[in-house]
Amino acid sequence: MRSLFSLPTSALTLVALGMLNSASADEYTLNLPSTSVTGTADSEDAPPGYQAKPAATTTRLNLTAGQTPQGITSIKREQLDDFKLNSIRDVLDSTPGVNVQKVETDRTYFTARGFDITNFQYDGMGMGLTGGVLVGDIDTAPYEQVDVLHGANGLMTGTGNPSATVNFIRKRPTYEPEAKVSVSAGSWDKRRVDLDVSGPLTDSGNVRGRVIYANEVGNSYLDRYSREKNIFSGMLAFDLSDDDTLTVGYEDQKSNANGASWGSLPLTDSSGNALHYSSTSANIAQPWVYWDVRTSRAFAEWQHHFANDWKSTLTVTAMEHREDTDMFYIYANSASSTGYTGLASNYKGKTRELDGDLSFSGPFSLGGREHQLTFGANVARSRTQETSLYGTSSYYTPVSLEDALNGVIPKPAYNMANADATSNYTDRQKSLYAGTRLSLSDDLHLIVGARMLSADSDGENYGSGRDVSIHGKVTPYAGVVYDLTPQYSLYASYTKIFNPQYYLNTQGQVLDPLEGKSYEAGIKGHLLDKKLDVSAAVFHTKQDNVATYSGFNPSLGGYLYDGMSYKSSGVELEASGELAPGLQISGGYTYVYITDADNNRGRKFIPRNALTTSMAYKLPMAPQVKVGGSLKWQSKVENDDTPAANQAAYMLVGLMASYDIDPHWSTQLNLDNLTNEKYLQSVRYGQSNYGSPRNVTASVSWKF
């Protein structure tokens, strides 16, 4: 691969506004600032099946996938339902080019093109002030579609990041009455119910509402682990006039887990030799361990359409993220009398964030041609408070690995927290942005833009100052698309990378911002009478100050990182749509090669090769029957510092079958990990749980 680049007035309204006034937010799931929030992805011109049109909020300039000078993947509701992708982890695990690093039972990282994904948005609106690790879960019940914009894009995502941007497209109130109820049951006593009701609340339809509720409860293949999720989403849309629409919404997601692991199974002993566990159910969590996570989101969106096809969008979003947990951690330690050291902690954290965005977009004429322009401003503020309690009897104490696996380590009595065990800090961001799509000719289009960002923070993070002050940093973006034929187009894009960071280094100080450059070029096409979309891309990225894990020290803020330089080069191939009558496909292949500052291979916990695909087929002789399957394969991975902590190449196969009993009733069966593959979920930190063995889910649905 290196040679490749050597070539070149309702209750809901009051609740939502009340949330906005409280300035609430989510700490751990990063969502970067962006702009306009338009409609859902299920517009009248949206293609059927797995072929999808990206939401206007994903590309900012309301571009199609073919008009976007970057790779883009859209996973629609139909695919989510076919393969029971109820968690964002499941969705991104099924997305070409994305690698899921499930380092613990309830903490997950996502990578693309060799780097962490830190840009998560909701209808294009993000919360841009914290790290990109998912704590708990994000359930997909409230969302119609998930868009993944591959690569760096400082214009469209707020700050440059060379991985990807994930945009959750909310289900919106509908003009026609709709309702769906689904119940399912599966392995390890898992049970789930989904309710989705939408429609007009007035005869004219100028007021519409939607309510979504989901509950999932069950045990696990892991010893002592169980979890319950509760999801609620409510939304009201008001047509104030022919040109003005006000939408307010509130979403609440709760994840309560027992037996959650802090860290996971040690993969090597104190001498660096590989450890092997006979059972996939092995878990180091103790019976007294729990991890309760609650994230609430509220938004208000006012959209106005001008007479000249311009529109303005004002959006205010608030989030609140809370955690309450008793945790237990174990790691190999040659200095310990048992060869292992344990650490217990009681943690409570709360982050509140408020984000506002005002944008204008529309066409303009120049040189006898019509072009597009968008510009706007964004402000965000977050406040985080944390407390960690430790017990003297369990503070870096020798423990037995066997006792941990058997769940017999007693719960400690925690001491009062001191200054080194608390955090209290505030982060702020402000930005101005503008971008335009210029039609230079019928076949040639140029996209240029820039964002000017200011960011600052103050306060204390576990005894260390959290001081960031950045003003007037400009991130440019440029892309070009050339329509080679009516079927194929060539594209190229460039962006600078700049992203403030809040990770702590080994001195307990905030890391310098990420900086670098990203290049991408490729070809996109429409085959089979535009029913099948295909694309191929090459990319090259250089990034400095990448946060690289260097150890754990609670007195300095817990997890500590070094700022490293990396280069990432690779290829992405992707296809989605109808391959044959009744046969839907979505999938792709990714090759990525990462090197460090010394030109040695780096970040080896990310697979060099990965293949992901999903297919579903409606039987021509029985169109009420749909059968399908999924396949995920990745090459060998290993821990950067401990090669003995590794996972050989593996493949996961899933099957599904559904039957439409009548226009209202349907039933479905899903089988995951058909071959009962035993595999580690991540070797990023030299610790990992095993993935799920073979399991089955049966469901019944009714819709109106």
Side-chain angles (χ1 to χ4, degrees), residues 54 59 63-73 149-150 481-492 520-527 532-537 574:
T59 62
L63 306 178
T64 66
Q67 295 169 335
T68 305
Q70 291 178 248
I72 187 167
T73 304
L149 182 68
H150 300 268
V481 179
Y482 178 68
D483 296 329
L484 194 64
T485 70
Q487 284 185 303
Y488 294 98
S489 60
L490 301 175
Y491 74 88
E520 180 177 343
I523 184 171
K524 298 183 179 183
H526 307 286
L527 306 178
L532 181 69
D533 295 334
V534 295
S535 63
E574 190 168 348

Side-chain angles (χ1 to χ4, degrees), residues 25-264:
D26 178 314
E27 177 190 3
Y28 290 97
T29 309
L30 174 64
N31 308 281
L32 295 185
S34 55
T35 63
S36 63
V37 178
T38 57
T40 63
D42 57 347
S43 59
E44 295 181 358
D45 57 346
Y50 291 174
Q51 188 183 34
K53 178 184 178 182
T57 57
T58 301
T59 62
R60 184 66 54 83
L61 291 167
N62 195 21
L63 306 178
T64 66
Q67 295 169 335
T68 305
Q70 291 178 248
I72 187 167
T73 304
S74 297
I75 300 183
K76 297 169 60 177
R77 187 74 243 175
E78 182 174 349
Q79 188 174 347
L80 300 180
D81 291 339
D82 282 349
F83 295 95
K84 297 298 179 184
L85 305 179
N86 296 322
S87 164
I88 187 56
R89 289 186 293 225
D90 298 330
V91 175
L92 295 183
D93 209 27
S94 304
T95 302
V98 177
N99 185 250
V100 177
Q101 302 283 327
K102 194 175 180 181
V103 298
E104 300 166 351
T105 55
D106 290 80
R107 185 151 42 189
T108 310
Y109 293 85
F110 307 96
T111 67
R113 299 185 175 181
F115 300 104
D116 289 343
I117 300 175
T118 58
N119 304 337
F120 291 88
Q121 304 177 342
Y122 299 84
D123 281 327
M125 196 67 181
M127 314 295 287
L129 305 181
T130 52
V133 58
L134 170 66
V135 178
D137 197 8
I138 298 178
D139 197 276
T140 59
Y143 311 119
E144 189 67 35
Q145 181 170 303
V146 180
D147 289 344
V148 179
L149 182 68
H150 300 268
N153 195 330
L155 169 65
M156 299 178 188
T157 65
T159 53
N161 187 286
S163 54
T165 298
V166 180
N167 190 18
F168 302 96
I169 313 303
R170 294 185 178 98
K171 296 176 179 177
R172 296 289 180 120
T174 57
Y175 285 92
E176 299 294 331
E178 298 181 3
K180 185 176 181 179
V181 181
S182 177
V183 295
S184 61
S187 303
W188 312 299
D189 299 321
K190 180 184 278 187
R191 304 173 303 278
R192 181 180 173 99
V193 59
D194 286 87
L195 173 66
D196 184 356
V197 181
S198 178
L201 302 180
T202 60
D203 292 339
S204 65
N206 64 331
V207 181
R208 302 170 300 283
R210 190 162 194 163
V211 174
I212 299 166
Y213 173 77
N215 172 269
E216 181 178 298
V217 62
N219 296 316
S220 167
Y221 66 96
L222 292 175
D223 295 336
R224 299 178 295 280
Y225 183 79
S226 62
R227 186 179 68 177
E228 180 176 6
K229 295 195 300 181
N230 282 285
I231 301 95
F232 171 82
S233 176
M235 197 176 299
L236 289 172
F238 304 88
D239 293 335
L240 305 179
S241 70
D242 292 341
D243 299 319
D244 295 271
T245 300
L246 173 66
T247 305
V248 296
Y250 174 76
E251 178 185 322
D252 185 74
Q253 297 213 20
K254 293 188 291 185
S255 173
N256 297 331
N258 295 316
S261 63
W262 183 30
S264 358

Side-chain angles (χ1 to χ4, degrees), residues 269-271 332-337 339-341:
D269 60 20
S270 58
S271 300
N333 183 4
S334 59
S336 171
S337 58
Y340 298 91
T341 294

Side-chain angles (χ1 to χ4, degrees), residues 480-507:
V480 61
V481 179
Y482 178 68
D483 296 329
L484 194 64
T485 70
Q487 284 185 303
Y488 294 98
S489 60
L490 301 175
Y491 74 88
S493 61
Y494 160 83
T495 186
K496 291 189 68 176
I497 298 165
F498 181 84
N499 199 354
Q501 298 192 105
Y502 303 95
Y503 298 107
L504 299 182
N505 61 21
T506 51
Q507 289 75 49

